[in-house]
Amino acid sequence: MVLIDKQSTAPVEAGVAPDAAPRSLGDVVKAYVALTKPRIIELLLITTLPVMFLAAKGLPPLWLAVSTLVFGTLSAGSANALNCYIDRDIDAAMRRTRRRPLARHLVPPRNALIFGIVLGILSTLGLGLTVNWLAAGLSLAANLFYVLVYSMILKRRTPQNVVWGGIAGCMPVLIGWAGVTGDLAWAPVVLFGVVFFWTPPHTWTLAMRYREDYAAAKVPMLPVVATERRVVLESIVYTWATVLCSLLLWPIAGTTLLYPVVAAVLGAACLWEVHRLLGRVNAGKTGVDLRPMRFFHWSNAYLALLFLAVAIDSMLV
């Protein structure tokens, strides 16, 4: 269960030297936890648990929810640790990611590889034995897609990397549904589509802010190879698709009026912000003056609140 790589945006001092190997147990634990990218995993929980509410039409069984989230977290941690192993050269070259454990030489690459594989095995077996094997299979497929397709192929070769690589980040909604029902349906597919369309503009606006980082690491993110106007126009298209897809859940899942009202309001706010970004482009602003991170933060709030509405609405049906 993974979402595409949207790490912390905290700045790192230029020229920071790699740290020495950690000397205490606490340092070691912190380094290995950092490999799993906990902030990304938080976003997974936001999309997984509400879908379980939707599938259960109320509160899902506690043990089932806990097992899905715990082993789903291990699966995401596995994919993220393996991504750190694969991208260690990129992370060392990018100012934004130089504080990651492998870039700072806090964890040997071989250990990070083994750690990621072990977490993947544990998560798959855990989901299969405590939830069901459909959820386990979907989780494993998401892990392999993120590592083998996105990290090893798409990320370094095409500006469409986050479009198709984002498929891995959509899988938690299917996993959460399958965990409760043991099968799939159109409702989680709609939410899969929401996350799929949401991912590119969310990631591209972050990449606009750190364009020089990606260029230095030779990662062909869209903002590196295209004009700012094209990036914003494509972001508008995907944002409209996100909002329209979100509204499909109302007739397909038979929600109450709460969900479509909230989805419409949140969607309008997100569209307003992305069109304001286009307005700044049309006004001749560029670089940091475009303030692309405004939309990045708006889109984070949009997804969290939309899925919260899914959970609350499920309690009202």
Side-chain angles (χ1 to χ4, degrees):
M1 293 167 56
V2 289
L3 281 181
I4 204 73
D5 189 5
K6 296 178 281 292
Q7 313 87 303
S8 169
T9 59
V12 178
E13 296 294 332
V16 172
D19 294 40
R23 297 174 182 175
S24 71
L25 178 60
D27 290 334
V28 173
V29 171
K30 287 179 182 178
Y32 278 91
V33 169
L35 283 175
T36 68
K37 303 179 188 177
R39 291 191 65 180
I40 298 176
I41 295 176
E42 291 173 9
L43 192 58
L44 291 177
L45 305 184
I46 289 172
T47 59
T48 305
L49 189 57
V51 176
M52 298 186 76
F53 276 70
L54 181 63
K57 301 187 183 304
L59 285 172
L62 179 60
W63 171 248
L64 185 68
V66 170
S67 294
T68 303
L69 295 180
V70 168
F71 290 112
T73 295
L74 293 182
S75 179
S78 164
N80 290 334
L82 293 172
N83 173 262
C84 284
Y85 171 79
I86 294 166
D87 283 355
R88 61 192 185 279
D89 59 327
I90 293 176
D91 290 343
M94 292 178 62
R95 177 173 174 265
R96 182 171 58 89
T97 55
R98 286 177 186 166
R99 288 196 177 276
R100 288 184 174 170
L102 291 179
R104 296 168 65 192
H105 305 286
L106 298 178
V107 177
R110 180 175 178 273
N111 290 11
L113 176 62
I114 294 172
F115 177 64
I117 292 172
V118 169
L119 285 184
I121 294 171
L122 290 176
S123 65
T124 302
L125 292 176
L127 281 171
L129 295 172
T130 66
V131 182
N132 60 59
W133 289 105
L134 176 58
L138 291 169
S139 179
L140 178 60
N143 194 328
L144 293 175
F145 187 91
Y146 184 68
V147 173
L148 301 179
V149 178
Y150 171 71
S151 299
M152 296 185 69
I153 300 175
L154 296 176
K155 185 171 183 177
R156 300 172 187 249
R157 289 174 172 81
T158 172
Q160 296 296 304
N161 46 22
V162 299
V163 175
W164 302 110
I167 289 174
C170 307
M171 295 298 283
V173 299
L174 301 184
I175 295 164
W177 183 279
V180 173
T181 67
D183 59 19
L184 295 176
W186 282 111
V189 171
V190 168
L191 292 174
F192 180 102
V194 170
V195 181
F196 178 81
F197 291 125
W198 169 89
T199 300
H202 175 77
T203 310
W204 286 337
T205 48
L206 175 65
M208 289 176 74
R209 171 64 179 84
Y210 293 98
R211 180 186 179 280
E212 293 77 10
D213 257 6
Y214 286 105
K218 299 180 179 178
V219 177
M221 296 291 286
L222 187 63
V224 174
V225 302
T227 65
E228 290 171 326
R229 181 177 180 80
R230 178 186 164 191
V231 175
V232 173
L233 288 174
E234 292 202 24
S235 295
I236 288 174
V237 171
Y238 276 99
T239 302
W240 271 99
T242 301
V243 175
L244 293 175
C245 189
S246 73
L247 294 173
L248 289 176
L249 188 67
W250 176 27
I252 287 177
T255 69
T256 71
L257 283 175
L258 172 69
Y259 172 78
V261 169
V262 173
V265 171
L266 292 174
C270 223
L271 288 167
W272 170 261
E273 189 58 42
V274 76
H275 279 279
R276 288 184 67 191
L277 185 57
L278 178 62
R280 292 193 286 274
V281 170
N282 291 337
K285 296 187 181 297
T286 187
V288 295
D289 291 334
L290 276 175
R291 293 182 289 170
M293 293 301 290
R294 281 180 57 93
F295 179 79
F296 174 83
H297 294 303
W298 265 99
S299 61
N300 259 337
Y302 167 83
L303 196 70
L305 293 174
L306 183 75
F307 275 82
L308 178 61
V310 170
I312 294 175
D313 188 275
S314 300
M315 301 290 291
L316 301 177
V317 175

